[in-house]
Amino acid sequence: MATATGLGRPRSLPALPLVGSLLQLAGHPQLHLRLWRLQGQYGSLYALWMGSHYVVVVNSYRHAREVLLKKGKDFAGRPRTVTTDLLSRGGKDIAFASYGPLWKFQRKLVHTALSMFGEGSLALERIICREAASLCETLSAAQDTALDMAPELTRAVTNVVCSLCFNSSYRRGDPEFEAMLEYSQGIVDTVAKESLVDIFPWLQIFPNKDLTLLKKCLQVRDQLLQQKFTEHKEAFCGDTVKDLMDALLQVRLSAENSSPLEPGLELTDDHLLMTVGDIFGAGVETTTTVLKWAVLYLLHYPEIQRKIQEEMDHKIGLVRHPHLSDRPLLPYLEATISEVLRIRPVSPLLIPHVSLADTSIGEYSIPKGARVIINLWSVHHDEKEWDKPEEFNPGRFLDEQGQHIHSPSPSYLPFGAGIRVCLGKVLAKMELFLFLAWVLQRFTLECPEDQPLPSLEGKFGVVLQVQKFQVKARLREAWRAAS
Ligand code: HEM
Ligand code: PLO
């Protein structure tokens, strides 16, 4: 089809009235894999219809770069869907809000607050190390028994984000933490997975199990957030800023005092609440998921685990614990983290983008309002860019001497890129490094003898989830001897 720009539209999957191309997608719960495989028939850039929504699927780095970087502003929108509207109270957060002056202001605020409290600050390193020490204690206590590490990893990561956002943390078995684990799982299971209710919003008038669960979980989350927010508002005096919540309150106060904002541009309580909800939700679910993938891959590749430990013994030894400043000393650990983020991207389809103007990708015309899905799975498994992409091989991220980390292909975007790039990249990398370094310095992680190696297949959703598995954490002989 020729368009106003003279360019043709991308080739489209067949589409029926009302349902669109759903017949081609139905029965494939792993949407990222289905969209990856459809390239064989339709090429790396193709279109489809989800109900009445025109969707463009990008599977190559060349086109992803155009969408995210070269024409970032053209594609900075987000779709509104039933589930993300519920999660973010109609897009009052950052991740699911469309592009606009208020979103820009919110994003900048959080960026500043994060750099003030987190990135580069010794205080944050201290918090992460405190949680890493507590995680190691738990592993020590459970030594040699099969353990589901997921709740322990989640508590460690949650406490980092909790300290950052609310200057508080949870102890083991805290009922509020257990409630949080449960509601968060419910949200991850039901939100933003291109489910039917998001494609056909009118379906929400019918009883729907997923939607009922989401609403119930959001009620619990909102109550928790509201309680923290009220406590902070009551205690806030404007002088001392203890955490991100205080920082947001302070910036709002000074914005109100200096110049009255245009109507519609003010940060309401809902905006602050949803913003903290994003940082909290993203902060916990993403980093925990990567840690679980990393542990799972180490069970499958004991020789890689051994190599990380040898590097650590050699460069750090067993008398002191690892610091952030050790990152350049441990390239093999860094390369392993990079490889985990490549082979199992946390967010395999990013968050869908929306074109804000008539524009183009490559030689194709894209109309305003199109949803653009960047298939990061395809970008990270592209055989033209990666040697044996299915293979877990940290060495691909190292130079010939194995001393420095580098990417052999630009086709690597675990945190996205451009205007909508992840806000927590620096924080996440600090946590991944420190948690893994602490644990591997002391323990060898093994699959319990009586169990098969757990599956490496992910479960598609708003994050690429790991299936439940158990681990035996064995205290290393070298560590035992040294201490
Ligand atoms: C967005 C990855 C950790 C906060 C994103 C996106 C990706 C991503 C792929 C979507 C980019 C797009 O749509 O183009 C990751 C990975 C993480 C991680 C792999 C961990 C290893 C975090 C953490 C935080 C965070 C710790 C919070 C402190 C956000 C926010 C957005 C976002 C607020 C939305 C940005 C926007 O729409 O403007 N992240 N993330 N992320 N991330 Fe992360
Ligand atoms: C995770 C469950 C929480 O209860 C709510 C939440 C908020 C922000 C979301 C996050 C969930 C999942 C991962 C997301 C994040 C915003 C950015 C991040 C989507 C749903 C990524 C990876 O893009």
Side-chain angles (χ1 to χ4, degrees):
M1 192 203 323
T3 59
T5 52
L7 300 172
R9 286 274 165 81
R11 194 169 160 202
S12 176
L13 266 64
L16 293 170
L18 293 175
V19 294
S21 318
L22 280 187
L23 289 184
Q24 272 83 3
L25 304 178
H28 297 275
Q30 308 280 51
L31 187 60
H32 59 299
L33 297 180
R34 178 67 179 151
L35 298 179
W36 175 53
R37 293 197 182 109
L38 281 166
Q39 287 182 90
Q41 238 174 307
Y42 295 93
S44 78
L45 184 82
Y46 57 81
L48 53 87
W49 291 83
M50 285 188 173
S52 60
H53 302 294
Y54 183 64
V55 180
V56 176
V57 184
V58 168
N59 291 284
S60 69
Y61 170 69
R62 180 169 71 92
H63 289 144
R65 191 180 55 167
E66 202 173 334
V67 171
L68 299 175
L69 290 164
K70 279 207 213 140
K71 295 184 183 152
K73 231 173 167 171
D74 280 0
F75 291 102
R78 295 285 197 213
R80 289 194 65 165
T81 69
V82 174
T83 58
T84 56
D85 262 6
L86 283 170
L87 177 74
S88 63
R89 299 197 179 158
K92 293 199 177 70
D93 67 336
I94 295 178
F96 302 106
S98 208
Y99 183 79
L102 191 53
W103 169 82
K104 266 193 183 146
F105 183 47
Q106 256 167 295
R107 210 186 130 104
K108 203 168 131 216
L109 256 178
V110 171
H111 194 68
T112 314
L114 276 176
S115 30
M116 219 158 98
F117 279 102
E119 304 156 4
S121 105
L122 257 180
L124 184 63
E125 176 165 2
R126 224 172 287 134
I127 292 169
I128 304 175
C129 289
R130 181 190 73 202
E131 292 308 320
S134 156
L135 173 65
C136 288
E137 256 172 54
T138 311
L139 294 182
S140 249
Q143 237 206 100
D144 295 331
T145 56
L147 168 81
D148 176 6
M149 274 180 79
E152 306 309 329
L153 294 172
T154 311
R155 194 167 58 88
V157 174
T158 303
N159 278 344
V160 173
V161 186
C162 232
S163 303
L164 197 70
C165 290
F166 306 125
N167 191 28
S168 65
S169 61
Y170 292 113
R171 257 184 269 122
R172 250 193 134 201
D174 188 323
E176 191 176 299
F177 174 70
E178 304 292 327
M180 201 216 86
L181 273 185
E182 195 181 321
Y183 85 62
S184 207
Q185 186 59 48
I187 297 176
V188 170
D189 284 342
T190 50
V191 87
K193 8 182 255 184
E194 303 298 335
S195 58
L196 283 179
V197 71
D198 281 338
I199 297 169
F200 306 113
W202 48 267
L203 278 178
Q204 61 190 305
I205 59 172
F206 298 109
N208 174 328
K209 226 171 71 206
D210 272 10
L211 216 50
T212 311
L213 174 65
L214 176 60
K215 285 180 185 161
K216 203 182 99 207
C217 291
L218 284 175
Q219 232 175 15
V220 184
R221 179 197 75 158
D222 289 351
Q223 224 171 27
L224 268 167
L225 281 181
Q226 185 66 51
Q227 187 195 331
K228 301 267 187 215
F229 186 54
T230 311
E231 282 165 14
H232 274 71
K233 250 169 98 170
E234 282 169 7
F236 182 67
C237 60
D239 299 338
T240 45
V241 173
K242 305 179 298 307
D243 49 37
L244 195 121
M245 190 77 258
D246 277 353
L248 292 178
L249 285 169
Q250 194 191 43
V251 175
R252 179 167 77 173
L253 190 70
S254 47
E256 281 165 359
N257 287 344
S258 56
S259 59
L261 291 163
E262 283 172 46
L265 268 194
E266 69 270 25
L267 282 172
T268 63
D269 280 1
D270 266 6
H271 284 97
L272 297 192
L273 219 60
M274 293 300 108
T275 300
V276 177
D278 255 18
I279 304 305
F280 202 80
V284 172
E285 286 305 326
T286 52
T287 311
T288 312
T289 301
V290 186
L291 287 173
K292 286 192 253 177
W293 279 121
V295 171
L296 183 51
Y297 270 96
L298 294 177
L299 297 191
H300 277 257
Y301 294 86
E303 68 285 3
I304 290 177
Q305 185 172 182
R306 220 165 11 249
K307 236 172 136 175
I308 297 175
Q309 289 171 328
E310 276 164 17
E311 182 182 67
M312 290 193 70
D313 291 354
H314 192 180
K315 304 277 181 52
I316 298 187
L318 296 148
V319 250
R320 68 167 179 91
H321 68 71
H323 305 293
L324 266 184
S325 54
D326 293 323
R327 278 173 75 176
L329 296 179
L330 302 176
Y332 196 72
L333 174 57
E334 286 277 58
T336 307
I337 296 171
S338 301
E339 179 67 344
V340 172
L341 287 167
R342 180 194 70 80
I343 201 159
R344 290 294 179 268
V346 173
S347 183
L349 301 181
L350 306 186
I351 302 174
H353 288 240
V354 165
S355 53
L356 299 171
D358 287 340
T359 178
S360 63
I361 307 177
E363 54 276 38
Y364 299 104
S365 146
I366 308 295
K368 179 178 172 179
R371 294 183 178 187
V372 180
I373 291 182
I374 308 283
N375 192 346
L376 197 57
W377 182 277
S378 305
V379 172
H380 285 184
H381 288 81
D382 185 343
E383 283 183 343
K384 290 192 257 9
E385 298 283 343
W386 302 95
D387 181 32
K388 304 198 189 97
E390 290 316 310
E391 222 166 72
F392 183 69
N393 171 17
R396 68 172 92 240
F397 282 99
L398 289 174
D399 63 3
E400 273 184 15
Q401 288 72 40
Q403 293 305 312
H404 295 285
I405 162 140
H406 80 126
S407 180
S409 160
S411 192
Y412 183 63
L413 300 165
F415 296 93
I419 295 180
R420 289 277 183 172
V421 69
C422 174
L423 259 177
K425 179 175 166 174
V426 177
L427 169 63
K429 288 189 130 185
M430 287 165 80
E431 291 186 78
L432 293 174
F433 175 81
L434 283 172
F435 282 129
L436 288 171
W438 270 70
V439 169
L440 294 174
Q441 187 185 36
R442 294 169 195 215
F443 300 95
T444 298
L445 305 174
E446 292 166 350
C447 179
E449 292 94 0
D450 54 343
Q451 294 181 24
L453 268 174
S455 164
L456 288 171
E457 200 180 310
K459 188 171 146 225
F460 175 77
V462 67
V463 291
L464 186 64
Q465 292 176 259
V466 188
Q467 298 174 38
K468 247 189 172 144
F469 66 96
Q470 292 195 310
V471 182
K472 211 171 79 180
R474 195 167 45 78
L475 207 56
R476 295 180 61 212
E477 273 314 317
W479 176 266
R480 214 192 288 265
S483 55

